[in-house]
Amino acid sequence: MADLVFESDDTNKHASAMVAPLNIQKSPKRSRSSRLGHSRQSSSRGGQSTTSQSHMSPPLTPRSSKDTLADQPSQPIFHNYLRAFYHFHPSSTVSSSTDESSITVPINQGDVILVHSVHPNGWADGTLLASGARGWLPTNYCEPYDHPTIRTLLNALTNLWDLVRDGENGDLVVFMKQDYIRTLIAGVRFFLEKTDCLTRESPLIVAHVGLRRMRKGLLGDLSSLVKTAKKLQEVLQTKDSPGLVFGRLDELVLKAFKLVTRAVRFLDIWAQDAVSLSFDMGEGNNRPLTPPSDSADLAVQPTAAPNQDGAGSAPANDDVASVSRASAIVTCEPLDHEATQPRNLARLSVAFSIPSDSDALQSPLFPPHAQALGKRLSVTHRLSYTGKSQSTRKHNLASERLNAAHDSFLGFIGSFIGLHLQSRSSEELALTTQESVIACRNLLAVVEEVWERDSRRSEPLQQAREMMYTRLAELVQATKDMFSTFEAGMDDEVIMPDQGKHLVVAATSCVRSAGECVTKARLVIERIGDFEFEIDEQGLSHSVFDQLDHNRPSLDQPQDARLPEVPNQSERVAEIEKPLPPPPMCERKMPPPLVISDSKPLPDVPHSRSGSNQNAGLRPLPNPTAESPVAASFRLSMSPLPQSLAPGAVPQLPQPSASDPSPSPASATQRFFGKSARTDSVNTSVADSSSTCRYSMRGETASIASQTSTRATTPDQSPAKKHSGQTLVSSFGSSSELRSVASEDVEAVEEHLLETTYSHELLYNNNGQISGGSLPALVEQLTLHDSTPDTSFVTAFYLTFRLFTTPVELSQCLISRFDLIGDSQSVGIPVRLRIYNVFKGWLESHWVIESDSSALGIIFSFATGKLRSALPAAGKRLAELTSKATEIRAGALVPRLASSLGKTGVSGSVFIPADNTAPSSNITRSQLNALKAWKDGRSQCSILDFDPLEVARQFTIIESKLFCTIQPEELLASEWMKKGGKGVNVKAMATLSNDLTNLVTDTILHVEDAKRRAIVIKQWVKIATKCVELDNYDSLMAILASLNTTTMLRLKRTWELVSAKTKARFDELKAVTDFSKNYAALRQRLHDHVAACIPFVGMYLTDLTFVDAGNEPTRPLPCDSGAEGLVVINFDKHMKTAKIIGQLQSFQVPYRLTAVPELQEWIESQIQRMHSSKEANPQSFHRQSLLLEPREPPRVIKAAPPPVSNGAANTAVADNRTATEDRFGMLSLSNYFTNNTKDR
Amino acid sequence: MSQREYHIVVLGSGGVGKSCLTAQFVQNVWIESYDPTIEDSYRKAIEVDGRHVILEILDTAGTEQFTAMRELYMKTGQGFLLVFSITSMSSLYELQELREQIRRIKEDDNVPMVLVGNKSDLEDDRAVPRARAFKLSQEWGGVPYYEASARRRANVDEVFVDLCRQIIHKDRDQRERERETRRPQRQRPGDRRNRRNHRPRCTIL
């Protein structure tokens, strides 16, 4: 899932990077965010800051400048990453990390944390990047961590984490390839690029020793990560013990963590020093922005103070006091530490603090906040955290709800529209209308919830929602109109389709806006994090249900229902409008940022005692007025040790929302002090307190957290170095010109990073396969420097590229990659060789002369120009190939056989000479003589004269020959369906199959005597059985297409004479050819079939047709902002196509059978006879069938033409037709109605 | 009553877009990758008039040239979607033959059937006047006529639902008839038609 990002624009980046550390209390000024008490902090690594650049110490968060802030009301964005700005050690006595990590993780200032979920009480389930430890940590000790430069890298890490988590559940496919690691590499590249440190020669790197070192370390980390990934791949390939795999997975995650941690540190240094350098270099033109921010800060501070004061010292609030007490103890130690870290003291203690409920009640600033809380107390999850893995899936999540509601909405509105397209009873109509409206409401309720949850009140979502309300109202109005214009005297079914027309239009537009709404809602969910849904069904749709109940009785009598319906409808309109939320202007019911303080209080943020001299100097705006009272109250509230808090003595937190039972301070304190180190203790403490389901849920989350943490905390294993060399060699494939092991070093990684990449324009599916991408991205994938491209990918690409690009465009794209990649040893050269290989493979075995010759000129000039100068031998060879390609008339240069495309397993047996092991043919001398006599025109032969096996064999040979000539190009883009298209061999297959079917029918129907007919049937059943044995399913289908049809089966007398044994065989054959369940039986047989085989081609043709029809040619690239993203090639579609064609090709293997030319000649003549026969069509066959065995109970079935003028109803219609011929349209419908009523 | 399963056969000449129609119908809105090779690619559970039914759709798009195979396909169908393209007159004519074949195989004049003019979004290229298609549907005994657009997903579900409804009605009638086997058979067809509420319909979006 995409990381949830700030909306900062890049133009502010520099500005924000240059302002002095700010403490902006932006909230009080704005009513919107006033109660949040949320301030943005400049973050830093306190330990590292050498405050030499005193007034230039830049913040890391991109939004410290006032301008940015003004645009950004504080928001409960779900941040995937947090950064601690205080130490938090649950208990100073606990030192061993294993003991406490299962529940609460200690965090150190500067730690970056990957957040999995955030509980409403402000505790987050997170993993420390520094140590890999996972557990609960207080969010108020942290601030969101995000910066445009590092965002891609962070996203990549999130993805990796999710992949690994899936991997733990057994989904390891993705780790078989290196693609996933590429996103991390791209992240690092992007990071270095944005920080202007991409190349070693960049001025920053040259000028700054620290950065140079950090950069090197970063690349070293990256290289070691890549190494680990390769090791993991190796472990997976050798299918070693799963334990080893998990070990590697752990290592992988830890390496990635290390990498990101390093990048964070890099960014810290860069932000401090590098930017000042760049400022010196004259790039700091954004500087003037700083003063306003400062003044804003000034204005803001005093207002913030009372708030803080109220929270800290409120004497009426025992709980607050107790919390303070608790945290006071907790933070004693950290505070001491901070004393030694002066910069940190500059922080305003309220930063990122989450007001507790009591805050909200106490402070006059936040009065309405509390009411809103009732509904919003739930754990917020990272969307990707909840999205993928089944094990952690919760069906109450907003995203799930949204999908479910939308699905049911579509279902109902679909049938609603459907009803109006047809004349239907008003009863149905009314019911469906109601159902649709309810479904619509449910959907809106979900959307509403999402919207409310999002304190930013997403504008687009609101618009979409408003639009949907309007549309729904229109729809209801339309329904209302329709019912009111009703003529009561008419038949109850007379809701005319055209009346429904604008209703349908309204409904359709409703669907459209619903779609819009859902999309927007999803975006919001992505931003704020997924959350458990606690929709109040009663409150939101109760009234509708009420109304339904009202309507129901009347609906039982549809005639009467119509008029009462009208007021109901209007009521409904009113009803629908009611739940519209107040416009965003007057909203006061906003949830606090990030989390909602619920019950278990967070530890108070350690209030930094400012006044440190250095800081006073550093910061233009120290804020003693704001801080000191707090600190004072803080100290005041420090009282006896929390351990002494007996459950009974625990003061109750006041509950703003009465529904919530009292929380469990016990559990809170327990956690604080790390006393309950095990998972179950969380549950225990939950049980102790008067727990709600929410509590137990938290317990559950906690246990998940701790389970996982055991893996993530596995200590970093020192990597086994010995494997790496081999792995690399194997991953580079055979190309000896590629540098292998050496590329592992930092330099190689560096070069790799320098390459221009389009990998962000690639899409992967759940199996880690490429499912989409722009042409440059796909070409890049084809020519990666460090891994042989996936064979199925290459095959699919060669086969289908003409469907999404042109040969010229492809050549140009390859050449531009050749230009861009350069000629570095570890990256450039290998890539260039692969580019050459792509051209070579194309010319050698995938060249389609008709379409591709347009690119020949380009390729030739490339071969003789750029390629020759870079790689002389390759250039020469390619030039040769191009000149050869012009000579060849058609087809490939190298004879293209099944194995060149698709399956590789087909090789081996394929080219063994046929007479080697071929069974001897079952044909007698007399049969041969008979055939000779037939050939001389002396006598006739019958199918009965020959051995069924031999007939089946010869037919298989004939068919196999044809089948093997089918070229893959024939199967693309429904080519075989087109007149004059390429699919000649496919068409021939169809013709052959038809002729065989007709031959079977003909041989049976031409026999007068029923007994003899039965014998012919028996013979064909035998032949068909032999076809199955020969895996010739195409002939089998053709024979069954005759035997298993009404024309044949209706010959009751004949079938009575067929033996039970033959019938049983016939039933078996029917089972094989059964096409129900999408040819499940046949597919089963063909699955993993390797030997020669003729599958039923029709099935593949249908598959190909549906892949084409059911998949769009392009797919959108998901993007963060929700703006119109890039649309890329839907390569998934082409992969599917290639897979099907590959399957078909894997069967294109000649049979090892001995041909009997005489018999083949006779069979072919019979087929030819059918082909040219005018009688060989279903209609005349049916007639023959009727002649042989006339219909027994002479039921009247009208003769085929003319269909009109038969039967009373038809006559009526026909009569009417003359009257309405020239005024077709809805007008005529009434005539039909009257006619029909008359008939009745 | 257990969930009934009905077999629908989609017919029409090549290139009329019947595969798009079927794909649109069976596809879930959220599916981003459609795989037609899995067992339930062509099965869909729908609700028609409060009944939950499963439709198994046989659409042999791509195998139109295997004409001899057609009868085999038709045999299993309980209801037929006859699809032509409003941009091709010949595609309409070809349906006539298909309908005759169905009637012959089913030995029944009242096989549940819907006539669908696809590609209604290509109004500018229209070659089949609406009246012409509607007339044909009337000649066929008042078969419902729809104009649909698979591309715009217009009338897609509707045609299947209508057909399904016809099958359900027919199914019910058949069972009724089995109950009162004494009544002479010959009266049935016309009788049934009226009860089946087979009125001329024309639906255009």
Side-chain angles (χ1 to χ4, degrees):
Chain A
M1 277 298 125
D3 223 317
L4 311 166
V5 295
F6 288 99
E7 290 189 342
S8 73
D9 46 347
D10 278 0
T11 55
N12 275 332
K13 200 173 65 202
H14 276 284
S16 66
M18 296 209 313
V19 291
L22 293 175
N23 287 294
I24 292 169
Q25 274 285 16
K26 59 192 163 171
S27 354
K29 259 187 152 180
R30 308 167 58 90
S31 67
R32 238 180 214 236
S33 44
S34 58
R35 51 197 183 67
L36 303 175
H38 184 140
S39 80
R40 297 273 164 210
Q41 290 288 326
S42 59
S43 94
S44 65
R45 297 272 310 183
Q48 297 186 341
S49 75
T50 56
T51 50
S52 56
Q53 315 252 341
S54 53
H55 58 284
M56 287 313 292
S57 67
L60 287 177
T61 47
R63 312 243 251 70
S64 301
S65 80
K66 190 215 167 192
D67 273 16
T68 333
L69 280 172
D71 295 335
Q72 308 293 326
S74 60
Q75 40 191 273
I77 286 183
F78 188 90
H79 301 282
N80 283 3
Y81 290 91
L82 293 178
R83 189 167 201 197
F85 57 78
Y86 295 112
H87 293 293
F88 174 71
H89 290 281
S91 163
S92 51
T93 55
V94 181
S95 52
S96 102
S97 67
T98 48
D99 207 25
E100 54 186 303
S101 61
S102 58
I103 300 229
T104 319
V105 282
I107 50 177
N108 287 313
Q109 190 187 49
D111 279 350
V112 175
I113 299 132
L114 169 63
V115 186
H116 308 299
S117 59
V118 179
H119 192 269
N121 62 13
W123 286 84
D125 167 16
T127 301
L128 252 65
L129 299 195
S131 62
R134 179 166 173 179
W136 293 104
L137 47 100
T139 51
N140 57 344
Y141 276 56
C142 311
E143 62 192 346
Y145 187 69
D146 190 14
H147 191 277
T149 55
I150 202 170
R151 195 176 293 150
T152 345
L153 186 57
L154 292 177
N155 284 344
L157 181 64
T158 319
N159 286 337
L160 179 72
W161 173 271
D162 292 333
L163 281 175
V164 168
R165 211 166 47 96
D166 286 347
E168 280 159 24
N169 298 331
D171 186 12
L172 290 162
V173 196
V174 76
F175 298 104
M176 297 291 282
K177 280 186 273 168
Q178 299 289 303
D179 296 330
Y180 66 97
I181 219 76
R182 218 153 270 136
T183 61
L184 275 164
I185 298 173
V188 173
R189 181 191 147 81
F190 183 82
F191 173 69
L192 288 177
E193 197 171 56
K194 288 287 162 190
T195 49
D196 287 325
C197 298
L198 188 57
T199 62
R200 237 177 315 175
E201 292 77 34
S202 84
L204 257 178
I205 292 297
V206 172
H208 197 290
V209 187
L211 277 184
R212 197 155 60 230
R213 281 205 192 119
M214 286 307 281
R215 181 172 172 278
K216 195 161 185 186
L218 192 65
L219 295 178
D221 285 345
L222 185 61
S223 125
S224 123
L225 176 70
V226 170
K227 223 184 282 179
T228 310
K230 281 181 177 150
K231 255 179 280 172
L232 174 64
Q233 187 183 16
E234 190 182 62
V235 168
L236 284 171
Q237 275 161 356
T238 53
K239 297 200 195 307
D240 272 348
S241 59
L244 207 55
V245 172
F246 291 134
R248 291 276 181 250
L249 280 177
D250 281 347
E251 201 185 321
L252 191 71
V253 170
L254 286 169
K255 286 272 165 62
F257 280 174
K258 200 174 158 202
L259 173 75
V260 172
T261 313
R262 175 101 57 177
V264 168
R265 221 174 300 148
F266 184 101
L267 190 59
D268 288 344
I269 298 177
W270 178 81
Q272 279 168 29
D273 303 341
V275 177
S276 67
L277 280 175
S278 68
F279 172 66
D280 292 340
M281 287 183 270
E283 288 171 21
N285 44 4
N286 281 325
R287 206 181 172 195
L289 282 174
T290 314
S293 328
D294 292 350
S295 64
D297 217 3
L298 261 178
V300 158
Q301 299 289 0
T303 344
N307 168 24
Q308 216 25 52
D309 194 35
S313 63
N317 267 316
D318 290 328
D319 68 299
V320 176
S322 73
V323 171
S324 312
R325 248 177 276 139
S327 49
I329 307 292
V330 173
T331 51
C332 266
E333 203 194 11
L335 282 172
D336 289 339
H337 278 289
E338 278 160 26
T340 65
Q341 295 164 355
R343 279 191 77 237
N344 208 46
L345 294 177
R347 296 181 176 285
L348 187 63
S349 59
V350 289
F352 209 68
S353 77
I354 288 92
S356 68
D357 291 345
S358 51
D359 284 341
L361 285 182
Q362 286 290 314
S363 164
L365 282 170
F366 321 128
H369 159 216
Q371 289 102 22
L373 278 174
K375 261 162 65 179
R376 312 230 166 73
L377 299 165
S378 63
V379 176
T380 319
H381 296 284
R382 177 155 47 84
L383 194 51
S384 71
Y385 180 76
T386 56
K388 278 185 183 169
S389 179
Q390 290 296 323
S391 55
T392 47
R393 193 159 211 157
K394 295 196 180 75
H395 290 284
N396 213 23
L397 287 169
S399 53
E400 300 269 322
R401 281 290 192 98
L402 189 66
N403 288 354
H406 192 207
D407 279 351
S408 85
F409 167 75
L410 287 176
F412 281 118
I413 209 90
S415 62
F416 176 78
I417 296 173
L419 282 176
H420 293 297
L421 296 168
Q422 288 294 303
S423 325
R424 289 296 175 218
S425 76
S426 56
E427 179 188 353
E428 274 178 279
L429 189 74
L431 201 69
T432 331
T433 312
Q434 275 159 354
E435 281 170 340
S436 320
V437 171
I438 291 169
C440 200
R441 303 260 336 219
N442 287 339
L443 176 63
L444 278 167
V446 179
V447 171
E448 203 82 52
E449 186 71 12
V450 171
W451 186 78
E452 286 208 8
R453 175 97 179 184
D454 173 25
S455 74
R456 212 152 39 132
R457 302 299 199 239
S458 159
E459 236 351 84
L461 176 58
Q462 199 203 348
Q463 278 165 6
R465 196 200 44 183
E466 298 287 345
M467 181 55 87
M468 188 166 161
Y469 274 122
T470 320
R471 291 276 162 75
L472 186 59
E474 274 168 19
L475 175 62
V476 170
Q477 186 59 40
T479 320
K480 189 174 118 187
D481 290 348
M482 181 153 160
F483 276 103
S484 60
T485 54
F486 233 90
E487 287 172 52
M490 286 184 76
D491 195 316
D492 67 340
E493 296 165 53
V494 195
I495 294 169
M496 304 289 285
D498 69 327
Q499 284 182 310
K501 215 177 223 168
H502 70 281
L503 204 58
V504 168
V505 173
T508 318
S509 61
C510 201
V511 171
R512 214 170 297 132
S513 54
E516 187 112 319
C517 218
V518 167
T519 321
K520 295 283 167 16
R522 283 193 69 83
L523 279 174
V524 170
I525 292 178
E526 248 179 59
R527 198 182 63 233
I528 64 170
D530 217 344
F531 58 94
E532 266 93 7
F533 212 73
E534 289 173 75
I535 186 163
D536 185 2
E537 299 270 1
Q538 292 287 309
L540 279 155
S541 50
H542 193 228
S543 46
V544 185
F545 282 114
D546 264 359
Q547 204 192 335
L548 243 193
D549 290 340
H550 279 270
N551 280 344
R552 255 181 200 135
S554 65
L555 283 167
D556 293 335
Q557 298 103 28
Q559 299 279 352
D560 311 275
R562 256 172 254 133
L563 292 171
E565 193 82 28
V566 180
N568 277 343
Q569 293 287 358
S570 51
E571 238 174 69
R572 218 174 281 151
V573 178
E575 206 55 55
I576 288 153
E577 280 156 2
K578 235 184 261 177
L580 280 175
M585 289 311 292
C586 56
E587 49 183 352
R588 308 226 80 200
K589 305 205 291 179
M590 266 196 317
L594 186 63
V595 285
I596 298 103
S597 179
D598 180 5
S599 42
K600 189 166 84 69
L602 282 169
D604 269 0
V605 173
H607 303 281
S608 42
R609 283 158 302 189
S610 74
S612 154
N613 315 329
Q614 263 175 302
N615 273 319
L618 286 180
R619 289 184 60 240
L621 296 161
N623 193 6
T625 45
E627 283 171 25
S628 32
V630 182
S633 72
F634 187 74
R635 255 173 254 119
L636 272 175
S637 62
M638 280 213 299
S639 58
L641 287 170
Q643 275 95 332
S644 69
L645 292 170
V650 171
Q652 299 285 300
L653 284 169
Q655 290 305 307
S657 48
S659 63
D660 286 314
S662 109
S664 157
S667 72
T669 37
Q670 271 181 345
R671 273 211 207 149
F672 275 22
F673 294 92
K675 289 195 95 180
S676 48
R678 307 245 173 274
T679 318
D680 53 356
S681 72
V682 177
N683 293 321
T684 316
S685 64
V686 165
D688 284 347
S689 62
S690 52
S691 65
T692 61
C693 57
R694 218 169 295 126
Y695 272 94
S696 52
M697 190 183 66
R698 189 183 60 200
E700 187 191 303
T701 336
S703 63
I704 293 165
S706 56
Q707 275 164 16
T708 331
S709 72
T710 53
R711 281 216 343 84
T713 47
T714 312
D716 196 348
Q717 302 157 345
S718 62
K721 307 248 181 209
K722 51 179 179 178
H723 289 303
S724 53
Q726 282 179 330
T727 323
L728 268 163
V729 172
S730 66
S731 77
F732 276 126
S734 55
S735 175
S736 57
E737 287 173 78
L738 305 185
R739 273 185 58 189
S740 54
V741 190
S743 72
E744 287 268 318
D745 62 27
V746 174
E747 299 229 334
V749 175
E750 200 172 326
E751 278 176 4
H752 189 175
L753 286 172
L754 296 178
E755 81 181 70
T756 316
T757 177
Y758 290 92
S759 60
H760 56 278
E761 288 176 2
L762 270 185
L763 285 171
Y764 294 90
N765 65 11
N766 294 335
N767 301 327
Q769 277 183 324
I770 292 158
S771 61
S774 60
L775 183 61
L778 293 176
V779 163
E780 182 182 319
Q781 208 57 30
L782 212 55
T783 55
L784 289 170
H785 79 279
D786 58 349
S787 59
T788 7
D790 188 53
T791 32
S792 61
F793 176 77
V794 178
T795 309
F797 191 89
Y798 274 131
L799 188 55
T800 60
F801 76 86
R802 294 169 197 90
L803 300 176
F804 54 79
T805 183
T806 61
V808 172
E809 212 179 348
L810 174 64
S811 315
Q812 281 164 348
C813 196
L814 280 163
I815 292 167
S816 86
R817 175 149 169 85
F818 187 90
D819 293 343
L820 281 173
I821 203 68
D823 56 358
S824 64
Q825 265 304 305
S826 65
V827 177
I829 301 289
V831 169
R832 286 184 163 189
L833 278 169
R834 284 199 200 283
I835 292 169
Y836 156 69
N837 276 325
V838 170
F839 277 121
K840 187 166 153 266
W842 181 13
L843 280 161
E844 275 180 353
S845 37
H846 301 275
W847 193 256
V848 177
I849 200 145
E850 307 90 72
S851 52
D852 297 353
S853 42
S854 56
L856 210 58
I858 298 172
I859 299 172
F860 186 76
S861 61
F862 167 70
T864 51
K866 287 171 185 162
L867 184 60
R868 180 165 283 169
S869 57
L871 304 160
K876 193 166 163 260
R877 175 83 184 111
L878 195 60
E880 277 168 28
L881 282 171
T882 42
S883 43
K884 254 190 206 169
T886 45
E887 289 160 19
I888 303 293
R889 278 282 140 256
L893 298 178
V894 174
R896 190 169 7 159
L897 292 156
S899 50
S900 77
L901 279 171
K903 297 278 163 81
T904 44
V906 202
S907 52
S909 63
V910 182
F911 306 110
I912 293 169
D915 50 4
N916 234 4
T917 46
S920 56
S921 45
N922 272 347
I923 195 147
T924 61
R925 189 165 293 274
S926 62
Q927 282 166 337
L928 285 173
N929 285 337
L931 283 167
K932 206 168 186 186
W934 160 78
K935 202 182 175 186
D936 300 339
R938 284 179 281 136
S939 66
Q940 288 293 314
C941 288
S942 148
I943 191 78
L944 294 174
D945 297 341
F946 304 102
D947 175 44
L949 176 60
E950 202 48 50
V951 175
R953 278 178 184 162
Q954 297 310 313
F955 205 86
T956 302
I957 293 171
I958 294 170
E959 190 143 20
S960 171
K961 258 183 218 158
L962 188 51
F963 174 66
C964 289
T965 57
I966 294 176
Q967 294 298 305
E969 291 80 35
E970 298 185 36
L971 301 164
L972 293 171
S974 300
E975 202 62 53
W976 70 93
M977 302 278 287
K978 290 171 191 157
K979 280 198 181 101
K982 287 180 197 157
V984 277
N985 296 312
V986 177
K987 280 180 184 166
M989 280 292 280
T991 314
L992 182 62
S993 165
N994 289 339
D995 292 340
L996 178 57
T997 306
N998 291 339
L999 180 66
V1000 176
T1001 314
D1002 184 75
T1003 50
I1004 295 168
L1005 293 179
H1006 261 88
V1007 179
E1008 294 281 332
D1009 176 33
K1011 205 170 172 183
R1012 213 169 144 70
R1013 272 204 302 275
I1015 294 169
V1016 180
I1017 287 177
K1018 185 184 170 186
Q1019 176 79 351
W1020 279 116
V1021 169
K1022 274 186 182 169
I1023 293 171
T1025 313
K1026 295 300 171 195
C1027 283
V1028 177
E1029 285 167 18
L1030 289 164
D1031 292 315
N1032 177 357
Y1033 298 102
D1034 209 64
S1035 302
L1036 170 71
M1037 278 302 274
I1039 296 169
L1040 265 284
S1042 165
L1043 295 179
N1044 195 16
T1045 51
T1046 326
T1047 312
M1048 283 296 144
L1049 295 174
R1050 63 170 299 285
L1051 300 170
K1052 295 236 165 51
R1053 274 193 293 135
T1054 313
W1055 282 96
E1056 275 164 18
L1057 296 165
V1058 172
S1059 72
K1061 195 179 156 197
T1062 304
K1063 275 181 188 159
R1065 246 185 216 168
F1066 182 51
D1067 285 340
E1068 280 166 32
L1069 295 175
K1070 278 197 278 192
V1072 175
T1073 56
D1074 182 19
F1075 44 79
S1076 70
K1077 299 204 167 84
N1078 197 10
Y1079 295 96
L1082 198 55
R1083 281 182 205 274
Q1084 184 60 43
R1085 278 175 168 267
L1086 292 170
H1087 188 67
D1088 288 338
H1089 196 288
V1090 276
C1093 168
I1094 308 176
F1096 172 51
V1097 177
M1099 183 176 85
Y1100 291 91
L1101 299 179
T1102 304
D1103 287 351
L1104 287 167
T1105 308
F1106 271 94
V1107 166
D1108 198 32
N1111 292 290
E1112 294 292 319
T1114 56
R1115 53 171 63 199
L1117 207 62
C1119 53
D1120 296 337
S1121 56
E1124 284 301 301
L1126 192 64
V1127 170
V1128 297
I1129 297 154
N1130 184 3
F1131 201 72
D1132 180 64
K1133 175 178 181 163
H1134 303 300
M1135 287 290 269
K1136 284 197 167 77
T1137 306
K1139 194 180 158 202
I1140 295 168
I1141 294 177
Q1143 248 164 26
L1144 207 60
Q1145 285 184 308
S1146 73
F1147 298 130
Q1148 289 184 316
V1149 179
Y1151 275 84
R1152 273 174 281 163
L1153 293 170
T1154 317
V1156 182
E1158 299 86 348
L1159 187 53
Q1160 278 192 20
E1161 202 177 332
W1162 179 77
I1163 292 173
E1164 271 164 2
S1165 81
Q1166 295 299 302
I1167 284 168
Q1168 194 50 45
R1169 183 168 63 85
M1170 283 303 114
H1171 195 66
S1172 46
S1173 164
K1174 280 185 181 136
E1175 291 299 298
N1177 62 66
Q1179 202 174 328
S1180 64
F1181 282 141
H1182 198 81
R1183 215 177 295 131
Q1184 279 181 48
S1185 167
L1186 283 170
L1187 282 171
L1188 287 171
E1189 293 186 29
R1191 214 169 265 137
E1192 278 157 7
R1195 269 186 65 191
V1196 177
I1197 288 297
K1198 287 126 214 170
V1204 201
S1205 80
N1206 281 319
N1210 275 342
T1211 320
V1213 171
D1215 288 348
N1216 203 34
R1217 186 166 46 98
T1218 50
T1220 56
E1221 226 155 19
D1222 40 4
R1223 50 184 186 100
F1224 169 83
M1226 295 310 166
L1227 287 174
S1228 63
L1229 284 168
S1230 56
N1231 283 332
Y1232 286 122
F1233 286 130
T1234 46
N1235 264 319
N1236 270 349
T1237 354
K1238 260 187 269 167
D1239 281 348
R1240 199 172 301 172
Chain B
M1 195 165 64
S2 67
Q3 239 182 4
R4 289 197 173 272
E5 198 178 306
Y6 294 118
H7 293 259
I8 285 180
V9 178
V10 185
L11 294 167
S13 37
V16 299
K18 54 182 187 304
S19 53
C20 293
L21 205 65
T22 308
Q24 280 281 9
F25 177 66
V26 294
Q27 261 191 76
N28 192 308
V29 183
W30 294 100
I31 286 183
E32 61 165 22
S33 170
Y34 178 65
D35 184 358
T37 65
I38 49 177
E39 191 169 311
D40 50 2
S41 303
Y42 302 98
R43 286 165 73 82
K44 180 158 175 156
I46 60 163
E47 196 186 314
V48 177
D49 307 334
R51 282 164 195 254
H52 291 277
V53 296
I54 292 176
L55 293 188
E56 168 135 5
I57 296 146
L58 180 67
D59 182 341
T60 58
T63 64
E64 286 79 2
Q65 290 156 15
F66 290 74
T67 45
M69 221 56 91
R70 232 158 37 195
E71 200 167 330
L72 199 61
Y73 295 139
M74 286 176 178
K75 223 183 102 202
T76 55
Q78 291 163 287
F80 295 86
L81 220 56
L82 298 184
V83 188
F84 69 96
S85 160
I86 64 159
T87 63
S88 153
M89 198 53 146
S90 65
S91 70
L92 181 65
Y93 289 144
E94 280 170 49
L95 290 182
Q96 183 69 31
E97 192 197 324
L98 289 173
R99 172 172 157 86
E100 288 318 320
Q101 203 175 355
I102 294 167
R103 274 161 34 106
R104 205 164 54 226
I105 290 164
K106 292 281 159 188
E107 306 200 331
D108 184 351
D109 276 345
N110 294 300
V111 185
M113 202 178 278
V114 169
L115 179 65
V116 183
N118 196 21
K119 305 192 183 177
S120 66
D121 49 307
L122 302 176
E123 188 59 49
D124 293 345
D125 301 327
R126 182 188 279 277
V128 181
R130 197 169 285 164
R132 178 70 194 80
F134 186 73
K135 200 175 96 183
L136 186 73
S137 78
Q138 293 318 302
E139 286 168 2
W140 288 357
V143 164
Y145 171 56
Y146 286 80
E147 289 199 349
S149 167
R151 192 183 303 163
R152 295 197 183 146
R153 213 179 205 288
N155 265 347
V156 173
D157 291 346
E158 290 72 16
V159 294
F160 284 96
V161 167
D162 186 298
L163 187 58
C164 184
R165 194 172 282 129
Q166 287 184 46
I167 299 172
I168 292 172
H169 285 299
K170 178 134 183 158
D171 202 27
R172 199 170 55 199
D173 289 346
Q174 223 138 29
R175 255 172 284 143
E176 268 170 35
R177 193 174 48 186
E178 276 159 22
R179 245 177 276 135
E180 25 177 324
T181 32
R182 263 187 240 163
R183 288 182 64 181
Q185 291 245 318
R186 297 197 58 168
Q187 275 185 324
R188 306 300 310 177
D191 223 23
R192 202 167 352 111
R193 159 163 309 162
N194 286 344
R195 250 192 302 126
R196 259 211 292 146
N197 171 26
H198 224 145
R199 282 166 296 94
R201 286 171 295 195
C202 173
T203 310
I204 286 98
L205 241 188

